[in-house]
Amino acid sequence: MHPALESFPGHALWKREFLGSSGVFSVVFCAAVIPHIAAARDALEIFAIDASWGGTRSLRSDVL
């Protein structure tokens, strides 16, 4: 699920409109792991990262 990958459905549009990509990415979980997502999410912590990534924090976003 990253537009810079040639296998991504919108890759041609991304390649035409953008010069590069970022480190932001998405994942899709298979049905077998759905019951474990909440526990894994709750174990995550915000941590400081290098400022060259465009910010001073790394965050997670929930879209279920």
Side-chain angles (χ1 to χ4, degrees):
M1 292 193 60
H2 195 284
L5 296 174
E6 291 183 10
S7 60
F8 185 76
H11 177 73
L13 174 65
W14 171 85
K15 192 172 181 178
R16 185 186 79 204
E17 300 291 329
F18 295 89
L19 299 175
S21 64
S22 71
V24 176
F25 63 94
S26 298
V27 295
V28 175
F29 296 104
C30 65
V33 301
I34 299 293
H36 307 284
I37 292 174
R41 179 198 61 221
D42 292 343
L44 294 174
E45 297 179 13
I46 296 175
F47 56 93
I49 61 171
D50 192 288
S52 68
W53 284 22
T56 59
R57 300 275 181 212
S58 181
L59 304 173
R60 60 149 169 98
S61 176
D62 296 327
V63 179
L64 297 178

